[in-house]
Amino acid sequence: MTAVGTPEGTHRPRPVKTVAPKVVQTVVSVLVVVVALVALVGQAVRGDRIVGVQLAPLAVHDAALDDAFYNCIDVQAHSLVRPGQTVTISTDNLADVVTMIKGFGSWVTVADPASDAQVVLTLRDNVPGPGTCLGTQVVATTVGPHGTTVRVGTGAQVPGQGPPPAPPL
């Protein structure tokens, strides 16, 4: 059978059915929404786990001990440095430098150049007994007309030995 108006033996091509553009747009939109929702739920679960780790009793205890340690270092440094006095921080031990900067670096006036400092602050580590911050003491060395004076910080202590625990990563 041939279509009307076509030479005998040839067939009229049938039109190709296409998916309506609205359907494609709807399918793509639904896929984007599903992917976004899965990603949001995944991040919410991850965030909940992180908060759970940070609120765990051991993490809270370690954070409180860390706060007490740096507060102790700060109080001891305040007992050694008068307002306006210039200081230099001993650079003999990089770990101690970082500890001092974290403990009281926000308020001390660091001398520039270091030779102009009125007080040299150092940490004495592994000191047994009371009056230490987990076995660490802040020490001030001053040079005056009567010679060199070495004083140990006072006013706070955190019993125990060793540095505060490392925070969880």
Side-chain angles (χ1 to χ4, degrees):
M1 188 182 274
T2 61
V4 177
T6 60
E8 195 171 322
T10 61
H11 298 283
R12 181 181 299 169
R14 293 185 179 161
V16 178
K17 291 185 178 181
T18 60
V19 178
K22 277 279 197 203
V23 173
V24 172
Q25 185 180 20
T26 303
V27 169
V28 169
S29 297
V30 167
L31 284 174
V32 168
V33 167
V34 167
V35 169
L37 287 174
V38 167
L40 285 172
V41 168
Q43 287 300 321
V45 168
R46 181 175 172 264
D48 183 57
R49 287 182 183 157
I50 289 171
V51 169
V53 167
Q54 292 173 342
L55 294 178
L58 181 60
V60 170
H61 171 267
D62 288 352
L65 186 59
D66 190 65
D67 290 345
F69 173 78
Y70 287 107
N71 182 61
C72 181
I73 296 291
D74 181 56
V75 169
Q76 286 193 3
H78 270 290
S79 74
L80 298 168
V81 179
R82 292 186 319 273
Q85 256 186 322
T86 57
V87 302
T88 189
I89 294 174
S90 173
T91 57
D92 293 341
N93 180 334
L94 182 58
D96 286 348
V97 170
V98 171
T99 299
M100 287 186 279
I101 289 171
K102 286 174 69 175
F104 50 80
S106 64
W107 62 265
V108 295
T109 304
V110 178
D112 184 28
S115 60
D116 291 342
Q118 297 167 307
V119 179
V120 177
L121 293 176
T122 57
L123 292 183
R124 187 180 295 158
D125 298 316
N126 303 315
V127 178
T132 68
C133 308
L134 295 177
T136 300
Q137 289 178 320
V138 181
V139 177
T141 305
T142 56
V143 178
H146 304 294
T148 301
T149 304
V150 177
R151 296 182 306 136
V152 176
T154 60
Q157 66 179 2
V158 177
Q161 287 293 314
L169 298 176

